[in-house]
Amino acid sequence: MTTLGDIIYGGISGVQTRLPIGSTSQVLTVVGGIPAWSTPTIINKGSVGITIDGQGGVVPINTTGEITVNFSGTITGWQITGDVTGSCVIDVWKDTYANYPPTVADTIAGSEKPTLSSAIKNQDLTLTTWTTAITAGDIIKFNVDSCSSLTKIYLTIFINKTS
């Protein structure tokens, strides 16, 4: 049984314990017929993304888009896809609302900018040069550094939420 927003644990004779997301309560589980208390592991994954549309033509260089992230967490990777095989590089900038707008000086992508190189898809799930901390209310801006052949680009940033 799955309930959105809750974690469901099986119990004795079909009895289940329901915990709200974010709960640190302990759970009674049965192992080999012996009840044991354990703290549940909660995985709170999220993502934010953007579609960059060239309006029927190749996406122009320096096209930008932005989103406001409404939760805190750690960026764990990115995935980029295109409408056709092509090449592009997108820089990712982040800043607070108070310091709006984000600029190239606020880049968080290091040397691992989301990139397609004569491909239709790519991803990086082991970021080593990114600034990965996100705070609720941060604004992320995406800037197309280069593009050829693509009329639409879809970029998703994966985040492990902490709040």
Side-chain angles (χ1 to χ4, degrees):
M1 176 179 179
T2 303
T3 303
L4 186 61
D6 293 336
I7 298 175
I8 306 295
Y9 293 90
I12 302 169
S13 302
V15 175
Q16 296 179 332
T17 304
R18 177 179 287 180
L19 296 176
I21 290 293
S23 172
T24 57
S25 301
Q26 292 196 339
V27 176
L28 179 63
T29 58
V30 178
V31 179
I34 302 171
W37 287 99
S38 64
T39 302
T41 300
I42 298 172
I43 299 172
N44 224 349
K45 295 188 177 194
S47 64
V48 295
I50 191 166
T51 298
I52 301 171
D53 190 336
Q55 307 278 326
V58 173
V59 174
I61 294 172
N62 293 323
T63 299
T64 62
E66 61 186 51
I67 56 171
T68 301
V69 181
N70 64 355
F71 52 84
S72 297
T74 302
I75 298 172
T76 60
W78 53 259
Q79 177 176 291
I80 188 170
T81 58
D83 60 332
V84 295
T85 297
S87 298
C88 72
V89 177
I90 299 179
D91 200 0
V92 182
W93 309 336
K94 176 185 71 87
D95 214 333
T96 63
Y97 176 79
N99 291 328
Y100 184 85
T103 66
V104 69
D106 301 310
T107 186
I108 61 172
S111 61
E112 299 165 278
K113 294 178 182 180
T115 301
L116 287 175
S117 182
S118 297
I120 197 165
K121 64 182 179 171
N122 192 21
Q123 64 181 198
D124 184 349
L125 304 177
T126 56
L127 304 178
T128 58
T129 63
W130 275 54
T131 302
T132 58
I134 293 286
T135 302
D138 280 349
I139 297 167
I140 297 179
K141 190 168 190 170
F142 304 93
N143 184 77
V144 178
D145 286 355
S146 64
C147 183
S148 64
S149 302
L150 301 162
T151 60
K152 285 190 182 175
I153 305 166
Y154 311 96
L155 177 60
T156 303
I157 305 294
F158 302 112
I159 303 171
N160 282 347
K161 296 190 227 178
T162 56
S163 66

